[in-house]
Amino acid sequence: MSLITLQIGQCGNQLGHSFFNTIFEISNQKPNAANYNFLEESQFRFFSDSEENASKNYARSILIDTEPKVIKEISTFGKDVAWSYRDDCRINVQQLGSGNNWALGYLNHGPELQERVLNAVRKEAERCDNVLGFLLYSSVAGGTGSGFGSYISEVLRANYPSVSSASITVWPFQRGEVSVQAYNATLSLSSLQKSSDAIFVFENDWLLKLCHHKMGLNKSSLNDLNTVASQQLANVLLPVERSQGIVPIFNDLLAHLVPHPQFKLVGLRSVPQEPLASLPFSAYTWPGLLRSLRRMVLYNTVVDEANLFCNRGVKFVITTSQQTCFASGLDYFAIAILRRTRAQRAKEYCKKDGDFEEYGRLPDSQHRSDAFAAILASAEEGDVESIKRYYPGRYIRYKGNILSSVTFRTSDLGNSCGVCICGPPRCGKDAGVRRLGNLFSKPVNKWLGGYRNEKFVLLSDIEPSHSAWLGYYMKIWSDRYPFHAEIKGASMLIRPIKIFCISNFRLDYVFSGQVLNALQARFNVFDQYDKTVERRRGPLRTGQCLAALEGRVRLRGDGIEGKCSCGVARRWKMILWRRRQRKMSLLRSHRWKMFLWRTGRMMAILRRRSLSIRKNSQVLK
């Protein structure tokens, strides 16, 4: 009896590939009289033999995706191992995926690929003696896995109503990067609830926790998460050997786990939870493993934290994440979960029976106001790493406010600090700047999130398409004065020592007009095309307003007041005094001309009057 697997989307294909690797490693162990039937049945359930090569096995799986990248990687990997996927079981569309859109996968890609999927399923079913059921691997957060997976589940239910179908779904991280993951998950689960017989749930947060405790990995990758999930699935889906022989328990398992059509969500718990390298040195008993499973079911956890602490010899510990207190005696292990309380009260509760042993140190339980005061003090000192370490929850929630409170370098510089390096590709522009050290490399946008008071800021690959908006920010960043750097949800006042801009284009090719003039006044340009250096232009002194705005000279309409505090002010005072003297001289000359003109006119009038008097006197005679 065989199980046909459908790997849908990027997550489904990667998880399914890891699952087949796990099954192949188990089924290819060295056989003996005790496990021969089990290994043969395990391999036959998930793999089929090749007609051309007896040593080659093909997975009973169908690969489905709306972009060819992941399927191509998996197919390339299968050429070097003893098993692979058949060529007619790879279905993909030469597109850019579903864009995290459930409706695009359900309404567009689903009807488009329906016939191809049914043909592939029919061919794979014809290779099986008896189809035990379908396994659908998918994610509920993306577009292909959630939308297209829901549609294929409904199609299989309509075409194969008597065959059991189970969906292996991966739930996203609680703080995922997909903004619509909640809507995709809701729509996907609503459809799978009607078309699947059972829905196996894997949460990424719990898988990450299992990687830390079970595999001993501090930094886990997606491959590690898939390996842990595959091992848990293998524990459930592999055949069971009983007194009557090998029993395929898939249908019986679904019948017992899903007693009601509305209760289809299934969670997996497995023990022991130890790294593989530690299993040969561990001593477990069936009663102890059953107690571990019981604790995990009672407290709804996938990690037996109590067993983890017991194996390490810890008799008393308090975890700050859930404020859970663990206490153990010599022959028993008692768990007391105290929510919304402090560590000291949890400790007193565990000590009430009197028979205990205490190890370690209680975590510091600060009051809310004390915690915020400590966070503010660390932020003002610029110690953001300690906030991440001791207050991770508050850092995530108040990240913008914390970063805006950090005290960075804000002193004015002596001059503009821009340095522009332009030249052909692969000429060492970035490498030369990165050798300076203490460098913050930012993407070509307006955000400076992640800046931690570095001396130098590097802005790489400036292109002409950025000229519409980048010139405004470059003028502010490269000036001598501190500026408010924008981060998500807040801003912070900073002043780096140097701003390096790297580009394959010259500055006058990217910018133009007044923006270019402003940048040339702020940037030293190192042109590696012509092997030249163009120094930044000095400030333009355009008149009396410059000295007046700088506060060194106070101007009035009738002269200059105040003392000269520097050479520039003295020069302006001399210039203004000369202008005033020139005006006074012009005024004097004008008044003298007017005096001469008036004097001449009076003399002319007197001359005419004297002539008229003479004429009158002659007439009277």
Short mmCIF file of all heavy atoms in Angstrom, two decimals, residues 470-527:
data_model
loop_
_atom_site.label_atom_id
_atom_site.label_comp_id
_atom_site.label_asym_id
_atom_site.label_seq_id
_atom_site.Cartn_x
_atom_site.Cartn_y
_atom_site.Cartn_z
N LEU A 470 16.83 61.38 -4.71
CA LEU A 470 18.01 61.17 -3.89
C LEU A 470 18.81 62.44 -3.66
O LEU A 470 19.46 62.59 -2.63
CB LEU A 470 18.89 60.10 -4.55
CG LEU A 470 20.12 59.65 -3.76
CD1 LEU A 470 19.70 59.07 -2.41
CD2 LEU A 470 20.91 58.63 -4.55
N GLY A 471 18.75 63.39 -4.61
CA GLY A 471 19.54 64.60 -4.47
C GLY A 471 19.18 65.39 -3.22
O GLY A 471 20.05 65.97 -2.56
N TYR A 472 17.89 65.43 -2.89
CA TYR A 472 17.45 66.17 -1.70
C TYR A 472 18.10 65.61 -0.44
O TYR A 472 18.60 66.36 0.42
CB TYR A 472 15.93 66.11 -1.60
CG TYR A 472 15.37 66.57 -0.29
CD1 TYR A 472 15.30 67.93 0.03
CD2 TYR A 472 14.93 65.64 0.65
CE1 TYR A 472 14.80 68.34 1.26
CE2 TYR A 472 14.42 66.04 1.86
CZ TYR A 472 14.36 67.40 2.16
OH TYR A 472 13.86 67.80 3.37
N TYR A 473 18.11 64.28 -0.30
CA TYR A 473 18.67 63.66 0.90
C TYR A 473 20.19 63.75 0.91
O TYR A 473 20.79 63.92 1.98
CB TYR A 473 18.22 62.20 0.98
CG TYR A 473 16.75 62.05 1.23
CD1 TYR A 473 15.87 61.75 0.19
CD2 TYR A 473 16.21 62.21 2.50
CE1 TYR A 473 14.51 61.62 0.41
CE2 TYR A 473 14.86 62.08 2.73
CZ TYR A 473 14.01 61.78 1.69
OH TYR A 473 12.67 61.65 1.92
N MET A 474 20.82 63.65 -0.25
CA MET A 474 22.28 63.75 -0.28
C MET A 474 22.75 65.12 0.15
O MET A 474 23.81 65.27 0.78
CB MET A 474 22.79 63.40 -1.68
CG MET A 474 22.69 61.92 -2.02
SD MET A 474 23.26 61.53 -3.69
CE MET A 474 24.96 62.07 -3.61
N LYS A 475 22.01 66.16 -0.18
CA LYS A 475 22.38 67.50 0.27
C LYS A 475 22.35 67.60 1.79
O LYS A 475 23.23 68.22 2.41
CB LYS A 475 21.43 68.54 -0.34
CG LYS A 475 21.57 68.72 -1.83
CD LYS A 475 20.79 69.91 -2.33
CE LYS A 475 19.30 69.74 -2.12
NZ LYS A 475 18.52 70.85 -2.65
N ILE A 476 21.34 66.98 2.40
CA ILE A 476 21.22 67.05 3.86
C ILE A 476 22.28 66.18 4.53
O ILE A 476 22.93 66.59 5.50
CB ILE A 476 19.81 66.61 4.28
CG1 ILE A 476 18.76 67.55 3.67
CG2 ILE A 476 19.68 66.56 5.79
CD1 ILE A 476 17.34 67.14 3.95
N TRP A 477 22.49 64.98 4.01
CA TRP A 477 23.44 64.05 4.64
C TRP A 477 24.87 64.55 4.58
O TRP A 477 25.65 64.35 5.50
CB TRP A 477 23.35 62.68 3.97
CG TRP A 477 22.02 62.01 4.12
CD1 TRP A 477 21.08 62.26 5.07
CD2 TRP A 477 21.46 61.00 3.27
NE1 TRP A 477 19.98 61.48 4.89
CE2 TRP A 477 20.17 60.69 3.79
CE3 TRP A 477 21.91 60.33 2.15
CZ2 TRP A 477 19.36 59.72 3.20
CZ3 TRP A 477 21.11 59.37 1.57
CH2 TRP A 477 19.84 59.07 2.09
N SER A 478 25.25 65.21 3.48
CA SER A 478 26.64 65.60 3.28
C SER A 478 26.96 66.99 3.82
O SER A 478 28.10 67.44 3.69
CB SER A 478 26.99 65.54 1.79
OG SER A 478 26.14 66.41 1.04
N ASP A 479 26.01 67.67 4.40
CA ASP A 479 26.29 68.99 4.95
C ASP A 479 27.05 68.84 6.27
O ASP A 479 27.20 67.76 6.82
CB ASP A 479 24.99 69.77 5.14
CG ASP A 479 25.20 71.26 5.00
OD1 ASP A 479 26.36 71.69 5.07
OD2 ASP A 479 24.21 71.98 4.80
N ARG A 480 27.49 69.94 6.81
CA ARG A 480 28.32 69.93 8.02
C ARG A 480 27.49 69.80 9.29
O ARG A 480 28.03 69.53 10.36
CB ARG A 480 29.15 71.20 8.10
CG ARG A 480 28.34 72.47 8.02
CD ARG A 480 29.18 73.71 8.16
NE ARG A 480 29.73 73.85 9.48
CZ ARG A 480 30.34 74.95 9.92
NH1 ARG A 480 30.47 75.99 9.12
NH2 ARG A 480 30.82 75.01 11.14
N TYR A 481 26.19 69.98 9.20
CA TYR A 481 25.34 70.03 10.39
C TYR A 481 24.68 68.68 10.65
O TYR A 481 24.46 67.88 9.73
CB TYR A 481 24.27 71.11 10.22
CG TYR A 481 24.83 72.45 9.83
CD1 TYR A 481 24.68 72.93 8.53
CD2 TYR A 481 25.52 73.22 10.76
CE1 TYR A 481 25.21 74.16 8.18
CE2 TYR A 481 26.04 74.45 10.41
CZ TYR A 481 25.89 74.92 9.12
OH TYR A 481 26.41 76.12 8.76
N PRO A 482 24.34 68.36 11.91
CA PRO A 482 23.60 67.12 12.19
C PRO A 482 22.21 67.17 11.57
O PRO A 482 21.63 68.23 11.37
CB PRO A 482 23.55 67.08 13.73
CG PRO A 482 23.78 68.50 14.16
CD PRO A 482 24.67 69.12 13.13
N PHE A 483 21.68 65.99 11.29
CA PHE A 483 20.37 65.88 10.65
C PHE A 483 19.58 64.75 11.30
O PHE A 483 20.14 63.87 11.97
CB PHE A 483 20.52 65.64 9.15
CG PHE A 483 21.25 64.38 8.81
CD1 PHE A 483 20.58 63.18 8.62
CD2 PHE A 483 22.64 64.38 8.68
CE1 PHE A 483 21.25 62.02 8.32
CE2 PHE A 483 23.32 63.22 8.37
CZ PHE A 483 22.63 62.03 8.19
N HIS A 484 18.27 64.76 11.08
CA HIS A 484 17.38 63.74 11.61
C HIS A 484 17.30 62.60 10.60
O HIS A 484 16.70 62.74 9.52
CB HIS A 484 16.00 64.31 11.89
CG HIS A 484 15.95 65.18 13.11
ND1 HIS A 484 15.80 64.68 14.39
CD2 HIS A 484 16.06 66.54 13.25
CE1 HIS A 484 15.81 65.66 15.26
NE2 HIS A 484 15.96 66.80 14.61
N ALA A 485 17.89 61.46 10.95
CA ALA A 485 17.85 60.28 10.09
C ALA A 485 16.53 59.57 10.30
O ALA A 485 16.11 59.32 11.44
CB ALA A 485 19.02 59.35 10.41
N GLU A 486 15.88 59.21 9.22
CA GLU A 486 14.57 58.56 9.29
C GLU A 486 14.74 57.06 9.45
O GLU A 486 15.49 56.42 8.73
CB GLU A 486 13.76 58.86 8.03
CG GLU A 486 13.47 60.34 7.82
CD GLU A 486 12.57 60.57 6.62
OE1 GLU A 486 11.62 59.79 6.43
OE2 GLU A 486 12.82 61.52 5.87
N ILE A 487 14.03 56.50 10.43
CA ILE A 487 13.92 55.07 10.61
C ILE A 487 12.43 54.74 10.65
O ILE A 487 11.59 55.63 10.68
CB ILE A 487 14.63 54.60 11.90
CG1 ILE A 487 14.04 55.30 13.12
CG2 ILE A 487 16.12 54.82 11.81
CD1 ILE A 487 14.63 54.84 14.42
N LYS A 488 12.12 53.46 10.63
CA LYS A 488 10.72 53.05 10.61
C LYS A 488 10.03 53.48 11.89
O LYS A 488 10.30 53.00 12.98
CB LYS A 488 10.61 51.53 10.45
CG LYS A 488 11.19 50.99 9.15
CD LYS A 488 10.39 51.46 7.95
CE LYS A 488 10.92 50.84 6.67
NZ LYS A 488 10.16 51.24 5.48
N GLY A 489 9.11 54.43 11.77
CA GLY A 489 8.32 54.85 12.91
C GLY A 489 8.92 55.93 13.78
O GLY A 489 8.30 56.34 14.75
N ALA A 490 10.14 56.40 13.48
CA ALA A 490 10.76 57.43 14.32
C ALA A 490 11.92 58.04 13.54
O ALA A 490 12.09 57.81 12.33
CB ALA A 490 11.25 56.84 15.64
N SER A 491 12.70 58.87 14.23
CA SER A 491 13.90 59.48 13.64
C SER A 491 14.94 59.64 14.73
O SER A 491 14.62 59.61 15.92
CB SER A 491 13.57 60.83 13.00
OG SER A 491 13.14 61.75 14.00
N MET A 492 16.21 59.81 14.33
CA MET A 492 17.28 59.98 15.30
C MET A 492 18.26 61.03 14.76
O MET A 492 18.52 61.08 13.56
CB MET A 492 18.00 58.66 15.56
CG MET A 492 18.42 57.89 14.33
SD MET A 492 19.02 56.26 14.73
CE MET A 492 19.45 55.65 13.09
N LEU A 493 18.79 61.84 15.66
CA LEU A 493 19.70 62.92 15.30
C LEU A 493 21.12 62.37 15.24
O LEU A 493 21.64 61.87 16.25
CB LEU A 493 19.60 64.05 16.32
CG LEU A 493 20.35 65.34 15.98
CD1 LEU A 493 19.75 66.00 14.75
CD2 LEU A 493 20.32 66.31 17.16
N ILE A 494 21.76 62.45 14.07
CA ILE A 494 23.09 61.89 13.89
C ILE A 494 23.94 62.86 13.08
O ILE A 494 23.43 63.80 12.45
CB ILE A 494 23.05 60.52 13.18
CG1 ILE A 494 22.50 60.69 11.75
CG2 ILE A 494 22.23 59.53 13.95
CD1 ILE A 494 22.57 59.42 10.93
N ARG A 495 25.27 62.63 13.10
CA ARG A 495 26.19 63.37 12.25
C ARG A 495 27.43 62.50 11.98
O ARG A 495 28.40 62.51 12.73
CB ARG A 495 26.61 64.67 12.91
CG ARG A 495 27.63 65.53 12.14
CD ARG A 495 27.15 65.96 10.79
NE ARG A 495 27.41 65.01 9.73
CZ ARG A 495 26.84 65.08 8.53
NH1 ARG A 495 25.99 66.03 8.24
NH2 ARG A 495 27.12 64.18 7.63
N PRO A 496 27.40 61.67 10.91
CA PRO A 496 28.59 60.90 10.55
C PRO A 496 29.74 61.81 10.12
O PRO A 496 29.55 62.96 9.74
CB PRO A 496 28.11 60.01 9.39
CG PRO A 496 26.61 60.04 9.47
CD PRO A 496 26.26 61.36 10.05
N ILE A 497 30.95 61.24 10.17
CA ILE A 497 32.14 62.01 9.80
C ILE A 497 32.23 62.17 8.29
O ILE A 497 32.54 63.26 7.78
CB ILE A 497 33.41 61.33 10.34
CG1 ILE A 497 33.32 61.19 11.87
CG2 ILE A 497 34.65 62.12 9.96
CD1 ILE A 497 33.21 62.50 12.59
N LYS A 498 31.95 61.10 7.53
CA LYS A 498 32.04 61.14 6.08
C LYS A 498 30.84 60.40 5.48
O LYS A 498 30.37 59.41 6.03
CB LYS A 498 33.32 60.48 5.57
CG LYS A 498 34.61 61.25 5.88
CD LYS A 498 34.72 62.51 5.04
CE LYS A 498 36.05 63.21 5.30
NZ LYS A 498 36.15 64.49 4.53
N ILE A 499 30.39 60.89 4.34
CA ILE A 499 29.36 60.24 3.53
C ILE A 499 30.00 59.88 2.20
O ILE A 499 30.36 60.76 1.41
CB ILE A 499 28.14 61.15 3.31
CG1 ILE A 499 27.54 61.60 4.64
CG2 ILE A 499 27.10 60.44 2.47
CD1 ILE A 499 26.90 60.50 5.44
N PHE A 500 30.17 58.59 1.95
CA PHE A 500 30.76 58.10 0.71
C PHE A 500 29.65 57.66 -0.24
O PHE A 500 28.79 56.86 0.13
CB PHE A 500 31.70 56.93 0.97
CG PHE A 500 32.94 57.30 1.72
CD1 PHE A 500 33.00 57.17 3.10
CD2 PHE A 500 34.06 57.78 1.05
CE1 PHE A 500 34.14 57.51 3.80
CE2 PHE A 500 35.21 58.12 1.74
CZ PHE A 500 35.24 57.99 3.11
N CYS A 501 29.69 58.17 -1.47
CA CYS A 501 28.74 57.80 -2.51
C CYS A 501 29.51 57.15 -3.66
O CYS A 501 30.43 57.77 -4.22
CB CYS A 501 27.96 59.01 -3.00
SG CYS A 501 26.93 59.76 -1.73
N ILE A 502 29.14 55.93 -3.99
CA ILE A 502 29.83 55.15 -5.03
C ILE A 502 28.89 55.02 -6.22
O ILE A 502 27.70 54.70 -6.06
CB ILE A 502 30.23 53.76 -4.50
CG1 ILE A 502 31.01 53.89 -3.19
CG2 ILE A 502 31.04 53.02 -5.54
CD1 ILE A 502 32.27 54.67 -3.29
N SER A 503 29.43 55.26 -7.41
CA SER A 503 28.58 55.18 -8.61
C SER A 503 29.44 54.86 -9.82
O SER A 503 30.65 55.15 -9.84
CB SER A 503 27.83 56.49 -8.82
OG SER A 503 27.07 56.45 -10.01
N ASN A 504 28.80 54.25 -10.80
CA ASN A 504 29.45 54.04 -12.11
C ASN A 504 29.26 55.23 -13.03
O ASN A 504 29.76 55.22 -14.16
CB ASN A 504 28.90 52.78 -12.78
CG ASN A 504 29.24 51.52 -12.01
OD1 ASN A 504 30.26 51.47 -11.34
ND2 ASN A 504 28.38 50.52 -12.09
N PHE A 505 28.51 56.25 -12.58
CA PHE A 505 28.23 57.43 -13.38
C PHE A 505 28.82 58.65 -12.70
O PHE A 505 28.92 58.72 -11.47
CB PHE A 505 26.72 57.62 -13.55
CG PHE A 505 26.00 56.43 -14.11
CD1 PHE A 505 25.47 55.46 -13.28
CD2 PHE A 505 25.87 56.26 -15.49
CE1 PHE A 505 24.82 54.35 -13.79
CE2 PHE A 505 25.22 55.16 -16.00
CZ PHE A 505 24.69 54.20 -15.15
N ARG A 506 29.19 59.63 -13.50
CA ARG A 506 29.69 60.88 -12.95
C ARG A 506 28.55 61.65 -12.29
O ARG A 506 27.38 61.45 -12.60
CB ARG A 506 30.33 61.73 -14.05
CG ARG A 506 31.66 61.17 -14.56
CD ARG A 506 32.31 62.17 -15.50
NE ARG A 506 33.66 61.75 -15.89
CZ ARG A 506 33.93 61.05 -16.97
NH1 ARG A 506 32.93 60.69 -17.79
NH2 ARG A 506 35.17 60.70 -17.25
N LEU A 507 28.92 62.56 -11.39
CA LEU A 507 27.93 63.30 -10.63
C LEU A 507 27.07 64.17 -11.54
O LEU A 507 25.85 64.29 -11.34
CB LEU A 507 28.61 64.15 -9.56
CG LEU A 507 27.74 64.64 -8.41
CD1 LEU A 507 27.21 63.47 -7.62
CD2 LEU A 507 28.55 65.55 -7.49
N ASP A 508 27.68 64.79 -12.57
CA ASP A 508 26.92 65.66 -13.46
C ASP A 508 26.07 64.86 -14.45
O ASP A 508 25.25 65.45 -15.15
CB ASP A 508 27.86 66.60 -14.22
CG ASP A 508 28.96 65.83 -14.95
OD1 ASP A 508 29.01 64.59 -14.82
OD2 ASP A 508 29.77 66.47 -15.64
N TYR A 509 26.28 63.56 -14.53
CA TYR A 509 25.43 62.73 -15.38
C TYR A 509 24.17 62.28 -14.64
O TYR A 509 23.13 62.05 -15.26
CB TYR A 509 26.20 61.50 -15.86
CG TYR A 509 25.47 60.66 -16.88
CD1 TYR A 509 25.49 61.01 -18.23
CD2 TYR A 509 24.76 59.53 -16.50
CE1 TYR A 509 24.81 60.25 -19.17
CE2 TYR A 509 24.08 58.77 -17.43
CZ TYR A 509 24.11 59.12 -18.76
OH TYR A 509 23.44 58.38 -19.68
N VAL A 510 24.27 62.15 -13.32
CA VAL A 510 23.13 61.71 -12.52
C VAL A 510 22.23 62.87 -12.16
O VAL A 510 21.00 62.79 -12.26
CB VAL A 510 23.62 60.99 -11.24
CG1 VAL A 510 22.43 60.54 -10.40
CG2 VAL A 510 24.49 59.81 -11.62
N PHE A 511 22.84 64.02 -11.76
CA PHE A 511 22.07 65.18 -11.30
C PHE A 511 22.29 66.35 -12.24
O PHE A 511 23.23 66.36 -13.05
CB PHE A 511 22.48 65.57 -9.87
CG PHE A 511 22.33 64.45 -8.87
CD1 PHE A 511 23.44 63.69 -8.50
CD2 PHE A 511 21.11 64.15 -8.32
CE1 PHE A 511 23.33 62.67 -7.59
CE2 PHE A 511 20.98 63.13 -7.40
CZ PHE A 511 22.08 62.38 -7.04
N SER A 512 21.43 67.35 -12.10
CA SER A 512 21.53 68.53 -12.94
C SER A 512 20.93 69.72 -12.21
O SER A 512 20.26 69.57 -11.17
CB SER A 512 20.79 68.30 -14.28
OG SER A 512 19.42 68.05 -14.05
N GLY A 513 21.14 70.91 -12.75
CA GLY A 513 20.52 72.12 -12.22
C GLY A 513 21.08 72.52 -10.87
O GLY A 513 22.26 72.34 -10.55
N GLN A 514 20.20 73.10 -10.05
CA GLN A 514 20.60 73.58 -8.74
C GLN A 514 21.00 72.45 -7.80
O GLN A 514 21.83 72.64 -6.91
CB GLN A 514 19.45 74.39 -8.11
CG GLN A 514 19.09 75.65 -8.88
CD GLN A 514 20.26 76.63 -8.92
OE1 GLN A 514 21.04 76.71 -7.98
NE2 GLN A 514 20.35 77.38 -10.02
N VAL A 515 20.42 71.25 -8.00
CA VAL A 515 20.81 70.11 -7.17
C VAL A 515 22.28 69.77 -7.42
O VAL A 515 23.05 69.50 -6.49
CB VAL A 515 19.90 68.91 -7.47
CG1 VAL A 515 20.37 67.67 -6.70
CG2 VAL A 515 18.45 69.24 -7.12
N LEU A 516 22.70 69.79 -8.69
CA LEU A 516 24.09 69.51 -9.02
C LEU A 516 25.02 70.55 -8.41
O LEU A 516 26.08 70.23 -7.87
CB LEU A 516 24.26 69.44 -10.53
CG LEU A 516 25.70 69.24 -11.04
CD1 LEU A 516 26.25 67.91 -10.53
CD2 LEU A 516 25.74 69.31 -12.56
N ASN A 517 24.63 71.84 -8.48
CA ASN A 517 25.46 72.89 -7.90
C ASN A 517 25.61 72.70 -6.39
O ASN A 517 26.69 72.88 -5.82
CB ASN A 517 24.86 74.25 -8.20
CG ASN A 517 24.89 74.56 -9.70
OD1 ASN A 517 25.73 74.05 -10.43
ND2 ASN A 517 23.96 75.39 -10.16
N ALA A 518 24.49 72.33 -5.73
CA ALA A 518 24.54 72.12 -4.28
C ALA A 518 25.42 70.93 -3.92
O ALA A 518 26.19 70.96 -2.94
CB ALA A 518 23.13 71.92 -3.73
N LEU A 519 25.35 69.85 -4.70
CA LEU A 519 26.17 68.67 -4.41
C LEU A 519 27.64 68.92 -4.70
O LEU A 519 28.52 68.43 -3.98
CB LEU A 519 25.67 67.48 -5.21
CG LEU A 519 24.26 66.97 -4.86
CD1 LEU A 519 23.88 65.82 -5.76
CD2 LEU A 519 24.19 66.56 -3.40
N GLN A 520 27.94 69.69 -5.75
CA GLN A 520 29.34 70.01 -6.04
C GLN A 520 29.95 70.89 -4.95
O GLN A 520 31.17 70.88 -4.76
CB GLN A 520 29.44 70.71 -7.39
CG GLN A 520 29.20 69.78 -8.57
CD GLN A 520 29.20 70.50 -9.89
OE1 GLN A 520 29.05 71.73 -9.94
NE2 GLN A 520 29.35 69.75 -10.98
N ALA A 521 29.12 71.64 -4.25
CA ALA A 521 29.61 72.45 -3.14
C ALA A 521 29.82 71.63 -1.87
O ALA A 521 30.43 72.11 -0.91
CB ALA A 521 28.65 73.60 -2.85
N ARG A 522 29.33 70.38 -1.85
CA ARG A 522 29.41 69.55 -0.66
C ARG A 522 30.27 68.30 -0.84
O ARG A 522 30.55 67.62 0.14
CB ARG A 522 28.01 69.13 -0.22
CG ARG A 522 27.14 70.26 0.30
CD ARG A 522 25.70 69.79 0.50
NE ARG A 522 24.87 70.75 1.20
CZ ARG A 522 24.26 71.77 0.63
NH1 ARG A 522 24.38 71.95 -0.69
NH2 ARG A 522 23.52 72.61 1.34
N PHE A 523 30.63 67.95 -2.06
CA PHE A 523 31.31 66.67 -2.33
C PHE A 523 32.68 66.92 -2.96
O PHE A 523 32.83 67.77 -3.84
CB PHE A 523 30.48 65.81 -3.29
CG PHE A 523 29.39 65.03 -2.60
CD1 PHE A 523 28.15 65.60 -2.36
CD2 PHE A 523 29.61 63.73 -2.19
CE1 PHE A 523 27.15 64.89 -1.74
CE2 PHE A 523 28.62 63.01 -1.57
CZ PHE A 523 27.38 63.59 -1.34
N ASN A 524 33.65 66.14 -2.50
CA ASN A 524 34.90 65.95 -3.23
C ASN A 524 34.70 64.79 -4.19
O ASN A 524 34.35 63.68 -3.77
CB ASN A 524 36.06 65.64 -2.28
CG ASN A 524 36.46 66.85 -1.47
OD1 ASN A 524 36.31 67.98 -1.91
ND2 ASN A 524 36.97 66.62 -0.27
N VAL A 525 34.91 65.03 -5.47
CA VAL A 525 34.63 64.04 -6.50
C VAL A 525 35.94 63.43 -6.97
O VAL A 525 36.82 64.12 -7.48
CB VAL A 525 33.86 64.67 -7.68
CG1 VAL A 525 33.55 63.62 -8.74
CG2 VAL A 525 32.57 65.32 -7.19
N PHE A 526 36.05 62.10 -6.80
CA PHE A 526 37.21 61.34 -7.27
C PHE A 526 36.78 60.60 -8.54
O PHE A 526 36.03 59.62 -8.47
CB PHE A 526 37.69 60.36 -6.22
CG PHE A 526 38.26 61.02 -5.00
CD1 PHE A 526 37.44 61.50 -3.99
CD2 PHE A 526 39.64 61.20 -4.87
CE1 PHE A 526 37.97 62.11 -2.87
CE2 PHE A 526 40.16 61.81 -3.75
CZ PHE A 526 39.34 62.28 -2.75
N ASP A 527 37.21 61.08 -9.67
CA ASP A 527 36.82 60.53 -10.97
C ASP A 527 37.90 59.55 -11.43
O ASP A 527 39.01 59.96 -11.79
CB ASP A 527 36.64 61.65 -11.99
CG ASP A 527 35.96 61.18 -13.25
OD1 ASP A 527 35.93 59.95 -13.48
OD2 ASP A 527 35.46 62.03 -14.02
#
